[in-house]
Amino acid sequence: MERLRKHIEEILPLSDEEFLLITTHFTKKRFKKGDYLVRIGETVPQMFFVVSGLLKLFYTDESGKDHILSFPREDWWETDYLAFNTMARAKINLQCLEASEILCITLKDYQNLCNKLPKLEHFFLEKATAGHIASQQRILSLLSSSTESRYEHLLRRYPSLLQRVSKTLLASYLGVSRETLSRLSS
Amino acid sequence: MERLRKHIEEILPLSDEEFLLITTHFTKKRFKKGDYLVRIGETVPQMFFVVSGLLKLFYTDESGKDHILSFPREDWWETDYLAFNTMARAKINLQCLEASEILCITLKDYQNLCNKLPKLEHFFLEKATAGHIASQQRILSLLSSSTESRYEHLLRRYPSLLQRVSKTLLASYLGVSRETLSRLSS
DNA sequence: TGTCACCTGTGATGTAGATCACAAAAAGTA
DNA sequence: TACTTTTTGTGATCTACATCACAGGTGACA
């Protein structure tokens, strides 16, 4: 849980009591490689904070092809936000690429926590804004950049990703076939 | 300003005093078609709420081609959030496609307002989350759908857009050339 | 230690869409 | 109303990328 405290305190200082209150609302779980945290078609009772490990958030289209939205890793918040917030069924999957340590919070606990500690909404607002900005920049790069420069940009921004993720998965994040990406690398 | 009140109260009930407090932090401005609210390279002192009118949020790449991120219209919040929040220079333009009535708020006023009325952060958190979700879905459609189905989806979701926006602009929102879009329509 | 699943590179071929070019139609503007 | 600017459709050509197919490599696990 210390990791969560440091993470929140980058934005919001916390007293010991406040942090204790926060921790009581989360459950720590361990997942193995391949485990699903969210599966298409099921409900999404929780939001997740990644303490350690690596996941993929992805959509599987009608033809069975995967499209990766993100690679959540240490210090990331992730879930199917649409399904989580509206208590609907998931439209996307969230699955472990590595064994992972995760803090989980239910919608009810999340709402309770925000009521008891309203300044946390400031924290989550910052996170949501950052997420929105990042998504917009991804849209821009999909609209305006070549596959090659998107690939270079990705590696520059997350150099460690290449060590942890297969090129097949990187291709499906970039929106090209793995063959095309392979030809780019060489 | 009544429009703003109704808009906020869809999420958050407000007393008359609270709403009065809010209004004192905004400035109402009228813009003509073609006017810029945000221009690449300049600072972004304000965030905008569209009372009436239509705008485009777009990036111009090195080759001079435009890429449209959104068509903000009635009841939308928009700005270059990255530049606004970090007081940096804008990377994207925000320009009027129609004469528009806009409520403007500076970063300082925004922060003051949220301090004085913390429950507003709840409102903005909802908006930011919705924006993030919408952006994610756009990424998914860029990754997984054909141009044709993205076009159909856009028209289904915003049928009025076709009346207000040229196909050239729609093409640059969808990420295809206007020639290709023209061939699709026929 | 052998087997199996997955990953990666590479060739051949097909296709969606970019780009260039032109003309007619529509919409602004003086 | 006349003139300019913008929008739209359509043809011809070119290119990036998808798809299919195959083979060698690597790590996981029984």
Side-chain angles (χ1 to χ4, degrees), chain A residues 50-85:
Chain A
V50 183
V51 176
S52 71
L54 180 66
L55 299 83
K56 61 173 173 177
L57 182 72
F58 66 109
Y59 170 70
T60 307
D61 68 23
E62 322 76 49
S63 76
K65 212 200 256 175
D66 286 351
H67 305 277
I68 296 184
L69 275 165
S70 67
F71 293 109
R73 49 201 169 286
E74 291 78 9
D75 292 337
W76 273 49
W77 296 89
E78 200 62 270
T79 190
D80 178 337
Y81 284 102
L82 181 57
F84 176 69
N85 281 300

Side-chain angles (χ1 to χ4, degrees), chain A residues 69 82 91, chain B residues 132-142 157:
Chain A
L69 275 165
L82 181 57
K91 292 253 164 49
Chain B
H132 187 196
I133 291 170
S135 298
Q136 267 198 178
Q137 289 186 329
R138 175 123 177 249
I139 290 170
L140 269 191
S141 80
L142 285 168
R157 180 142 181 207

